[in-house]
Amino acid sequence: MNKIFEVPLYRYERSADQDASVPVRHPVVVIGAGPIGLAAAIDLAQSDIPVVILDDNDKVSFGSRAICFAKRPLEILDRLGCGHEMVEKGVEWDVGKVFFDDREVYRFDLLPEDGHEFPAFINLQQYYFEEYLVNRVRELQGQGAPIEIRGKNRVEAIGSHDDHVRLEIETPEGPYTMEADWLIACDGAGSPTRRMLGLDFVGRVFEDNFLIADVIMEANFPSERWFWFDPPFNKGQSALLHKQPDDVWRIDFQLGWDIDKDEELKPENIDRRLKAMLGEDVQYELEWSSIYTFQCRRMEKFRHGRVLFAGDAAHQVSPFGARGANSGLQDTDNLIWKLKLVMEGKAPEALLETYDSERIHGADENILNSTRSTDFITPKSEMSRILRDAVLDLSEHYDFARPLVNSGRLSVPCTYDGSPLNSADALEGGPSRTRPGSPCPDVPLGDDYLLPQLANRFTLLTIDADAPDEFEEDGIKVERLALSVTDDKTLALKQRYLGTADSAVYLIRPDQHVAARRDIWNETLFRAALRRATAKE
Amino acid sequence: MSELNLTPNIDGADDFYAELLAAHEPLSKEDSDALNARLILVLANHIGDRGVLSAAIEAAKPKA
Ligand SMILES: Cc1cc2nc3c(=O)[nH]c(=O)nc-3n(C[C@H](O)[C@H](O)[C@H](O)COP(=O)(O)OP(=O)(O)OC[C@H]3O[C@@H](n4cnc5c(N)ncnc54)[C@H](O)[C@@H]3O)c2cc1C
């Protein structure tokens, strides 16, 4: 068997830095070649900012881990040049079924809204996800972009200074030192960077264990998310079945707290569970299994001077709701354009403080949602179980109870309400979903889509409104994208961006979030909005 | 938003109370607890108004 997660993808190679007499200084170093570190580095390299990724390993994530990726991260990946590969390989789904005891209590359809380039969700093994990101790194390297991955480079010590960071790195050929103007720590939930800098990571630990088995089998189950509360084959606990590409199925059994992990992981015991769930004659091959416990916690601040934390290193959530990797990608989406402007001297460091405030807002939302899901799935008291079971019983017979069933509130992007970068909403009748702070929803534009046209720079989106084709404020250029509802056959543009207004002008950030909007162009006000969106006022 | 009504509001209060007891009468403690839980959820949904629901939770809390 030669699984992708068993093959080295970025082998150790000696770097000239290891032979330098004086430590070499790099503009940006990223620690961790997980999904988040790779995304951060690709984003930087696409902007021609030289970046080095260090990872203590040389392979993609072992086993599958994350499987469920949401629309917003796919849109971000598209901006990074590898969204379509993920969708082509991934399994799309939008139906879920909920079972309670021995019966199906209801099914839901996510009813994804039309007129988006990317689906609501895909399932894809994390190793493919990382492999495609590594492929994208290789492609950028082929085009001469300044990006490098150093496998088997383990960061052992970090010295944090006012204007740089010093790293002690261990390799198969011994240690070396290097420096970075900026360090992005994407070194996972156990973040050694956090530990080395003596930073806290507080939150709630859930006293429960889950067994994950990814099995390869030819089964006729549809590509739906099936969730069981208290099923006969796992009494008093929960279970999940979800399809991944290549006939791989994710099966997740809640085990409870007092268990013998080694015993549970024995193939014969996994086999017993699988047969109880899927029938005695099930044929399968076990691809990967593990037992995990989980936490919901975050760092108090994601920025510590020249060190910026992102992904699981900064915050950790329970897997219910698929908010881990999905939210980590939103971290770097938020961070990289800000860092770039600061590095180019076009924005003050205060802009990086808003990485902190905006993404902490996002992390808190994710932690709140996944904590609530966890409390529903694994009730912690007798009364919480009684109420939970009452909801499930009622949901079989009455619609009203179904919104209360919580088997994971799946990842949706965060709106940065109240961010200091937003200007007050000045579009009367404008839809709430595109108020300042919101991630822009996609819209079909003939054969194309809106989002790819909003990427990587500030954009002035005008809908049936006049404005200059471009303007510059204090070194930052804004280009106009002029649209009209007369070309809007599906009415999606009107519904998502105009509401009852006749015209609109939007200032959109490089991460495709709305910074400001009003009905008509006003030079003074939009210049002020741009200054505000870059932390200059 | 309406306010939580804490004045007498049920016509035939004795009948209602007897009906509630009768519903529990044949049930085990466990089934009775489940019935109460379902009943709370049905009533809460009927009320719907989040402000009223919060006021009701507050009103029902044990008094010091
Ligand atoms: C069972 C399970 C199911 C999940 N399902 C989902 C899901 O469906 N959807 C979702 O969005 N998320 C899901 N997640 C969460 C997701 O896997 C994580 O959020 C994601 O992997 C975080 O990525 P990361 O890049 O921040 O960290 P990691 O993937 O943990 O990567 C950290 C990297 O840092 C490297 N590193 C660590 N220390 C050092 C060092 N000292 N020097 C150099 N390198 C170092 C490591 O080798 C590693 O490559 C799931 C997680 C689990 C466990």
Side-chain angles (χ1 to χ4, degrees):
Chain A
M1 204 167 60
N2 229 349
K3 296 277 175 204
I4 176 71
F5 52 87
E6 291 165 343
V7 191
L9 269 195
Y10 33 90
R11 283 178 196 283
Y12 169 76
E13 278 171 42
R14 193 171 181 85
S15 142
D17 289 3
Q18 288 167 258
D19 302 312
S21 50
V22 187
V24 176
R25 172 84 65 96
H26 293 268
V28 186
V29 169
V30 173
I31 308 183
I36 313 310
L38 289 166
I42 291 169
D43 213 347
L44 288 162
Q46 286 193 160
S47 289
D48 287 320
I49 295 178
V51 55
V52 177
I53 313 167
L54 305 172
D55 198 283
D56 60 352
N57 204 329
D58 57 4
K59 302 179 189 69
V60 292
S61 169
F62 183 72
S64 168
R65 296 174 72 194
I67 60 164
C68 187
F69 297 94
K71 182 197 304 290
R72 182 61 199 151
L74 292 171
E75 290 166 352
I76 294 170
L77 290 164
D78 188 43
R79 190 173 64 69
L80 299 180
C82 49
H84 288 281
E85 288 86 330
M86 310 267 179
V87 176
E88 269 156 38
K89 180 75 191 175
V91 174
E92 277 182 45
W93 63 276
D94 35 51
V95 170
K97 283 189 181 145
V98 175
F99 301 84
F100 179 38
D101 198 355
D102 57 356
R103 51 204 206 275
E104 177 184 331
V105 287
Y106 81 101
R107 70 186 293 252
F108 60 85
D109 191 329
L110 297 171
L111 285 178
E113 188 183 53
D114 281 340
H116 292 256
E117 185 170 13
F118 287 92
F121 286 98
I122 61 162
N123 282 359
L124 182 73
Q125 292 90 323
Q126 182 162 337
Y127 49 75
Y128 280 129
F129 190 90
E130 293 182 22
E131 185 193 4
Y132 297 160
L133 287 166
V134 172
N135 290 347
R136 177 65 181 143
V137 169
R138 299 297 179 219
E139 183 179 77
L140 285 165
Q141 286 172 331
Q143 295 160 5
I147 181 169
E148 198 188 322
I149 312 187
R150 297 187 189 167
K152 299 247 185 244
N153 272 240
R154 188 173 67 244
V155 178
E156 294 264 298
I158 297 176
S160 182
H161 303 270
D162 280 350
D163 64 343
H164 74 280
V165 179
R166 198 177 161 96
L167 302 163
E168 310 287 338
I169 298 157
E170 190 57 51
T171 75
E173 294 180 301
Y176 71 103
T177 303
M178 84 181 189
E179 292 180 349
D181 289 338
W182 297 94
L183 177 69
I184 308 180
C186 307
D187 47 357
S191 174
T193 306
R194 218 174 44 219
R195 184 171 34 77
M196 290 185 272
L197 295 179
L199 300 168
D200 57 351
F201 199 42
V202 287
R204 199 169 141 195
V205 178
F206 290 85
E207 295 198 339
D208 222 317
N209 289 283
F210 287 78
L211 170 72
I212 292 194
D214 278 349
V215 301
I216 306 170
M217 61 177 178
E218 282 176 33
N220 295 325
F221 308 116
S223 342
E224 299 173 347
R225 179 183 197 263
W226 288 6
F227 198 98
W228 285 263
F229 291 98
D230 201 6
F233 59 83
N234 197 23
K235 260 328 232 180
Q237 312 284 7
S238 65
L240 171 84
L241 175 75
H242 218 172
K243 188 181 178 147
Q244 306 172 55
D246 307 338
D247 290 320
V248 176
W249 295 80
R250 164 65 51 90
I251 299 170
D252 202 334
F253 296 100
Q254 185 191 352
L255 300 179
W257 187 233
D258 253 337
I259 56 149
D260 180 341
K261 289 194 184 183
D262 294 335
E263 199 56 32
E264 290 289 348
L265 279 170
K266 284 187 180 155
E268 62 267 30
N269 286 327
I270 295 178
D271 186 65
R272 182 179 48 76
R273 287 185 175 281
L274 289 172
K275 287 193 166 138
M277 178 179 183
L278 302 165
E280 279 301 319
D281 45 3
V282 60
Q283 300 280 322
Y284 67 88
E285 184 193 327
L286 188 61
E287 180 178 65
W288 177 68
S289 63
S290 74
I291 287 181
Y292 68 93
T293 52
F294 55 80
Q295 284 89 34
C296 283
R297 50 186 181 171
R298 70 159 167 86
M299 296 180 72
E300 209 162 312
K301 285 177 71 53
F302 296 173
R303 177 183 179 213
H304 290 267
R306 294 265 163 162
V307 184
L308 299 144
F309 288 84
D312 278 11
H315 46 75
Q316 209 187 351
V317 293
S318 83
F320 304 112
R323 287 164 183 265
N326 282 317
S327 70
L329 286 169
Q330 291 165 60
D331 290 343
T332 59
D333 190 44
N334 186 289
L335 172 63
I336 300 303
W337 68 271
K338 295 176 178 175
L339 182 59
K340 177 170 183 263
L341 289 179
V342 170
M343 290 176 74
E344 288 169 344
K346 292 180 180 167
E349 277 196 29
L351 185 56
L352 290 174
E353 287 302 313
T354 69
Y355 165 64
D356 218 82
S357 56
E358 291 187 335
R359 288 315 298 162
I360 280 177
H361 178 74
D364 285 347
E365 202 172 282
N366 287 319
I367 288 172
L368 181 74
N369 275 292
S370 71
T371 301
R372 287 176 171 176
S373 301
T374 308
D375 284 338
F376 193 88
I377 292 165
T378 65
K380 296 299 177 299
S381 69
E382 194 192 348
M383 189 46 69
S384 124
R385 177 175 294 275
I386 290 171
L387 285 165
R388 198 278 307 266
D389 290 353
V391 167
L392 289 168
D393 268 330
L394 289 166
S395 74
E396 187 177 0
H397 307 287
Y398 307 111
D399 281 350
F400 90 82
R402 294 177 185 171
L404 294 170
V405 175
N406 191 343
S407 68
R409 298 276 179 246
L410 295 166
S411 174
V412 285
C414 164
T415 294
Y416 302 129
D417 280 322
S419 167
L421 303 186
N422 299 345
S423 296
D425 193 355
L427 181 64
E428 205 171 314
S432 158
R433 66 191 289 182
T434 39
R435 66 190 181 275
S438 309
C440 287
D442 211 353
V443 165
L445 301 175
D447 295 336
D448 207 350
Y449 283 89
L450 174 64
L451 287 184
Q453 308 198 38
L454 299 177
N456 299 323
R457 53 173 158 74
F458 275 96
T459 306
L460 194 70
L461 169 66
T462 61
I463 305 170
D464 295 316
D466 285 330
D469 284 337
E470 56 177 60
F471 71 98
E472 194 175 317
E473 171 69 21
D474 201 10
I476 298 177
K477 226 160 105 178
V478 180
E479 283 174 49
R480 176 186 179 200
L481 174 67
L483 299 177
S484 167
V485 288
T486 53
D487 309 321
D488 182 28
K489 292 189 189 61
T490 64
L491 294 182
L493 184 66
K494 179 170 165 46
Q495 281 158 7
R496 295 171 199 173
Y497 288 86
L498 276 185
T500 58
D502 293 325
S503 67
V505 181
Y506 280 79
L507 179 66
I508 295 166
R509 313 186 333 187
D511 60 359
Q512 302 169 331
H513 279 253
V514 175
R517 66 175 184 180
R518 51 181 52 247
D519 53 349
I520 52 168
W521 165 249
N522 176 315
E523 177 162 355
T524 316
L525 292 175
F526 274 101
R527 282 186 185 278
L530 180 58
R531 296 184 66 81
R532 198 173 162 80
T534 47
K536 291 174 184 162
E537 30 195 81
Chain B
M1 196 179 84
S2 52
E3 280 203 3
L4 177 67
N5 186 354
L6 290 171
T7 59
N9 192 34
I10 304 174
D11 283 343
D14 287 350
D15 284 347
F16 158 71
Y17 196 74
E19 194 179 333
L20 184 59
L21 289 190
H24 282 283
E25 179 77 21
L27 301 181
S28 66
K29 167 84 170 89
E30 191 183 336
D31 290 344
S32 237
D33 283 345
L35 171 69
N36 274 343
R38 288 194 299 270
L39 186 59
I40 291 168
L41 293 165
V42 168
L43 295 174
N45 183 66
H46 181 80
I47 294 165
D49 188 315
R50 282 290 290 107
V52 174
L53 290 173
S54 297
I57 291 172
E58 219 32 63
K61 282 185 183 167
K63 301 281 177 291

